[in-house]
Amino acid sequence: MTVSLEQLRRCHIAVDMGAARTRVFVKGAGLVVDEPSAAAVNTRTGALIAVGQFAEQMTGRTPGYIRVVRPVSGGTVVDIEMAQRMLRHLLGEKLRRTLRRKPRLRAAACTPHDADPLAQRAAVETMVGLGARRVELVDTLIAAAVGCGLPVERPEATMILVCGAATTQVAVLSLGSIVTAERVPVGGEAIDNAIVQHLRHQHELMLPSQSVRPLQLALRGNGLTPQGPESTEIHGRDVATGVARSVQVDTAAVREAIHTPLTSVLDGIGKVLRDCPPDLVADLADRGIMLVGGSALLPGLDQMLRDATGMPVQIAERPDVCAVLGLGAMLEGKIQPLVLDPLSG
């Protein structure tokens, strides 16, 4: 683990800031915030107009002087001041007042695997801006594994695939630590973008950026599997005329467009397995891969991974909030480390 469980038990608040959503867990209160990582700003005055869900709905629909910004990119805070302002508003005055009463507020935050010192510093600075006196950083992979109930503290291999909006992280864990891991710069946004580009080139149709989730439209039914519907009707704007129109889209072609970015994820899984000790790979043949993260719910992704790797694939019960729930479990002391008694003599 990045920090000891004893240090995490002293923390009062846990934050998971992702490219898509920000989640906050408060000790004793549970998950209190689960909102999109977006903020709408008045560029003339610098005032914050909206945060979270409301700001997300404003994307692409604002006048020129209102800008919707995303202070988190790829799991890393890129605008510390805006991230602090967004978090303050998401927490609300009542909760902030409760946290301010704690004389030495401690916070825990998720950071992507192999985050550079600058990214770690940005996460710490963001938490300090909320009033935290001390900040503990935990690897997202370990937090997510704990959150979905994997026995990470045991001397057994567990493989986890964290499907985020901007990146996908793959790791094999054993004895509470990461044995081998890989971060792939492909996530839910890249998959969405592949569909948008396919529709633009093949059907000359532009989709609204936020109001339509192209995956949910194009991959209804059995999703990535060939048993899905043959065609789907999609509404958008004609590239040439600008007039609204709908087209019948061949879902087989859409599946093909999605497979292109997903090959990078398969390459990442292959690299992790090659770097892994043989004994742990033998464990994985029985246990398989656990999918977590918001993009884990992509229809048919689990079946595609099963076909490609030949291993069992499971989706976590609540894949989108596994990381913050795992941090929360550590804060509340629900995770017990494996006690190794040194041999006497």
Side-chain angles (χ1 to χ4, degrees):
M1 301 249 177
T2 323
V3 288
S4 74
L5 286 170
E6 192 57 45
Q7 289 173 309
L8 284 170
R9 283 195 196 104
R10 296 179 193 152
C11 293
H12 306 99
I13 183 172
V15 179
D16 174 22
M17 294 191 76
R21 296 183 80 85
T22 293
R23 299 173 178 96
V24 181
F25 185 101
V26 175
K27 200 174 188 176
L31 188 65
V32 295
V33 173
D34 184 2
E35 294 273 347
S37 304
V41 185
N42 186 326
T43 54
R44 293 173 184 167
T45 63
L48 205 60
I49 296 169
V51 294
Q53 188 66 46
F54 190 36
E56 176 97 335
Q57 290 169 358
M58 294 167 70
T59 305
R61 296 181 169 88
T62 58
Y65 66 92
I66 295 177
R67 192 162 58 97
V68 177
V69 296
R70 293 184 173 274
V72 186
S73 175
T76 302
V77 177
V78 291
D79 186 339
I80 295 172
E81 185 193 351
M82 188 54 67
Q84 290 172 348
R85 291 173 71 187
M86 182 183 78
L87 266 177
R88 282 192 211 106
H89 280 79
L90 287 175
L91 284 170
E93 185 59 41
K94 185 179 175 184
L95 190 54
R96 289 212 314 276
R97 205 180 299 125
T98 308
L99 293 173
R100 275 200 295 266
R101 291 198 194 107
K102 301 186 187 299
R104 290 192 61 77
L105 180 66
R106 287 171 173 246
C110 285
T111 54
H113 178 66
D114 281 349
D116 57 47
L118 203 61
Q120 293 180 3
R121 184 71 190 164
V124 171
E125 290 285 337
T126 304
M127 295 298 106
V128 168
L130 284 178
R133 303 285 179 179
R134 185 183 172 100
V135 181
E136 311 290 359
L137 298 179
V138 179
D139 197 302
T140 304
L141 290 164
I142 291 178
V146 170
C148 62
L150 290 176
V152 287
E153 72 281 1
R154 306 294 307 167
E156 304 162 354
T158 51
M159 189 171 194
I160 189 165
L161 191 76
V162 181
C163 313
T167 59
T168 298
Q169 302 173 70
V170 194
V172 173
L173 312 174
S174 180
L175 283 171
S177 299
I178 294 170
V179 178
T180 175
E182 188 72 19
R183 189 149 57 131
V184 183
V186 170
E189 290 172 358
I191 293 166
D192 282 3
N193 190 52
I195 292 183
V196 170
Q197 292 304 318
H198 168 77
L199 293 174
R200 183 175 183 132
H201 293 142
Q202 299 298 319
H203 300 278
E204 297 184 347
L205 194 75
M206 282 183 72
L207 291 181
S209 58
Q210 292 295 324
S211 61
V212 177
R213 286 287 294 164
L215 289 175
Q216 272 64 27
L217 284 170
L219 298 177
R220 262 192 300 240
N222 296 327
L224 291 176
T225 58
Q227 289 76 37
E230 287 188 14
S231 65
T232 307
E233 188 176 34
I234 292 190
H235 308 280
R237 191 183 81 186
D238 191 281
V239 173
T241 63
V243 175
R245 70 182 176 94
S246 58
V247 294
Q248 284 289 331
V249 177
D250 179 22
T251 47
V254 174
R255 283 197 296 273
E256 194 61 41
I258 285 179
H259 275 285
T260 306
L262 286 178
T263 50
S264 303
V265 176
L266 294 174
D267 290 345
I269 293 172
K271 186 174 188 307
V272 166
L273 290 173
R274 284 195 298 275
D275 295 344
C276 196
D279 290 357
L280 293 180
V281 176
D283 284 353
L284 293 174
D286 300 326
R287 291 198 185 84
I289 305 170
M290 178 66 81
L291 291 185
V292 302
S295 302
L297 297 171
L298 174 66
L301 175 60
D302 52 341
Q303 186 58 48
M304 183 195 144
L305 292 175
R306 275 188 211 104
D307 296 341
T309 62
M311 295 196 297
V313 178
Q314 287 178 286
I315 301 176
E317 193 176 334
R318 296 178 67 189
D320 49 342
V321 291
C322 277
V324 74
L325 291 182
L327 268 185
M330 294 184 210
L331 260 61
E332 295 182 335
K334 293 177 181 174
I335 307 301
Q336 297 298 323
L338 185 70
V339 178
L340 298 172
D341 293 325
L343 297 172
S344 55

